[in-house]
């Protein structure tokens, strides 16, 4: 289904509701005027899909006994474990294996230490939810007082801080919860402006969202920047580090700060990207035990279903497949980046720490994206984002998908450049 068809079919369910019907009389004003998050499948859902940063090399695992219709080992008639203890334990084992020793003057060791004296995370540090989006929403609901109907830019409640260009769900969740949004943009090179962020803090600033590696920027934020934010006396809220793409990056995860005892750092991770499991919707918040307890208290009783849990457990027991797939993807990322850099109409290919590339063309980026998508190769136009003029984001696919993308972009650009 192409973009026009998708827009038409979804208009009745996703458009802003401003008048008519019972909903307009009863709903909160900020919800009636809400601009919903626009996901990749709202535009295209067929063809070579290089638009949603999924893992083209496939899932790390599958459901247990998925080919046996008579196996009910999961006892699907019973409710799932409300706290996903096995999933959390396996996540901790894998992430702890990646933690390196960090020496920070302000660290206070509160986590369990292993035999080498390193601090580790434990299941008490982990919240398991429906993707990392559930964690984003819960954190805002728990820590931010609504703005009394004022909505974005209002003056009545608490605030989150975001650093555009960044992941759009921070803004959507804040608006749904009637929480103010403070923005301190990244530099044109997609670096944090740490001093400016700290100067912008007010007593109402409860959460800072830092996306690392960033979306759409694909750039990791140095751990030293996270430490500066978390250690500053100017800010008493939480630093939320969204690490959806961390497995594609060489920058150290901020989980090490949670392990080192920082009581104001929460790290978001997901199985959707490197693990190739976007379809099961499983994500995590890793943070101080007191924060995690509140998240568990507020979440729905059985938020993660047994099928998701089963696949997640299999994946976390099969990290060798994860690492092989990541290695193949990184190899393809270098090939695609090199080929794009050799095209005369591509003016910049940004360094990537993720499973996608952001690049700029000389002109007509939106027309280029749409024409390619209509011909069966779907990327994503990002030219409306700050600092992203004439930019397209492309997910790294399989070798064959990447070859088709590179061939088609040259064919289409040569057509539209002279039209």
């Amino acid at each position: 289904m192409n973009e026009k068809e998708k827009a038409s079919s979804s208009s009745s369910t996703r458009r802003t509701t401003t008048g008519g019907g019972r909903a307009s009389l009863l709903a909160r004003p900020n919800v009636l005027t809400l601009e919903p998050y626009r996901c990749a499948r709202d535009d295209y859902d067929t063809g070579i899909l290089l638009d949603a940063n999924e893992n083209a090399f496939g899932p790390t695992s599958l459901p247990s006994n998925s080919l046996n219709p008579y196996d009910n080992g999961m006892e699907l008639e019973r409710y799932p474990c409300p706290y996903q203890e096995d999933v959390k334990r396996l996540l901790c084992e894998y992430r702890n294996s990646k933690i390196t020793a960090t020496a920070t003057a302000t660290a206070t060791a509160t986590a369990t230490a292993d035999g080498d004296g390193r601090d580790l995370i434990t299941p008490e540090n982990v919240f398991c939810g429906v993707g990392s989006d559930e964690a984003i929403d819960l954190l805002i609901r728990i820590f931010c007082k609504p703005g009394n109907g004022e909505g974005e830019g209002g003056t009545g409640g608490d605030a989150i801080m975001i650093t555009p260009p960044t992941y759009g769900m921070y803004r959507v969740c804040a608006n749904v919860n009637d929480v103010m949004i403070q923005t301190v943009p990244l530099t044109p090179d997609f670096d944090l402006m740490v001093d400016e962020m700290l100067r912008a803090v007010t007593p109402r600033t409860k959460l800072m969202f830092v996306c690392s590696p960033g979306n759409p920027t694909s750039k990791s934020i140095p751990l030293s920047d996270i430490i500066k934010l978390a250690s500053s006396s100017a800010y008493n809220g939480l630093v939320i580090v969204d690490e959806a793409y961390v497995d594609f990056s060489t920058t150290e995860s901020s989980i090490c700060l949670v392990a080192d005892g920082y009581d104001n750092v929460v790290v978001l991770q997901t199985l959707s990207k490197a693990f190739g499991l976007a379809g099961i919707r499983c994500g995590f918040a890793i943070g101080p035990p007191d924060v995690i307890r509140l998240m568990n208290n507020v979440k729905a009783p059985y938020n993660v279903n047994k099928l998701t849990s089963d696949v997640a457990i299999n994946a976390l027991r099969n990290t060798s497949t994860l690492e092989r797939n990541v290695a193949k993807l990184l190899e393809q990322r270098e090939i695609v980046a090199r080929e794009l850099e050799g095209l005369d109409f591509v003016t910049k290919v940004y360094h990537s720490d993720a499973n996608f590339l952001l690049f700029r063309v000389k002109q007509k980026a939106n027309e280029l994206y749409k024409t390619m998508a209509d011909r069966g190769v779907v990327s994503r136009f990002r030219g409306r984002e700050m600092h992203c003029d004439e930019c397209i984001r492309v997910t790294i696919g399989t070798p064959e998908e990447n070859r088709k993308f590179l061939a088609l972009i040259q064919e289409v650009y040569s057509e539209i450049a002279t039209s």
Side-chain angles (χ1 to χ4, degrees), residues 91 95 125 127 131-140 167 169-170 207-213 239-247 253-255 258 265-271 282-287 291-292 295:
L91 177 75
R95 291 309 182 196
N125 295 112
F127 166 83
S132 51
D133 292 337
E134 182 182 12
I136 293 167
D137 182 63
L138 279 176
L139 287 164
I140 292 174
Y167 182 42
M169 279 302 294
Y170 312 141
L207 306 174
M208 284 182 177
F209 284 93
V210 177
C211 197
S212 177
V239 180
I240 315 299
V241 188
D242 190 342
E243 293 187 343
Y245 304 96
V246 69
D247 294 295
S253 168
S254 292
I255 285 179
V258 177
V265 174
V266 177
V267 180
L268 306 181
Q269 293 189 351
T270 179
L271 299 186
C282 184
F284 309 98
I286 300 103
V291 172
I292 300 304
M295 297 181 74

Side-chain angles (χ1 to χ4, degrees), residues 342-395:
L343 300 178
D344 60 0
F345 59 86
V346 174
T347 62
K348 186 175 182 64
V349 179
Y350 287 90
H351 170 79
S352 177
D353 294 308
N355 66 333
F356 60 89
L357 292 167
L358 183 73
F359 64 96
R360 177 174 285 116
V361 297
K362 289 181 179 179
Q363 60 175 332
K364 300 183 179 180
N366 197 26
E367 184 179 353
L368 176 61
Y369 144 74
K370 287 183 176 180
T371 305
M372 290 182 65
D374 289 339
R375 295 186 189 179
V377 179
V378 188
S379 57
R380 204 154 193 204
F381 175 64
R382 298 285 79 180
R384 297 185 183 92
E385 304 275 350
M386 186 174 291
H387 306 318
C388 295
D389 294 347
E390 301 293 352
C391 280
I392 291 173
R393 190 193 74 194
V394 61
T395 306

Side-chain angles (χ1 to χ4, degrees), residues 284-306:
F284 309 98
I286 300 103
D290 59 337
V291 172
I292 300 304
R293 278 195 298 273
L294 289 179
M295 297 181 74
N296 282 327
N297 290 346
V298 174
K299 75 174 183 67
Y302 306 109
N303 58 328
V304 177
N305 68 72
K306 284 188 174 183

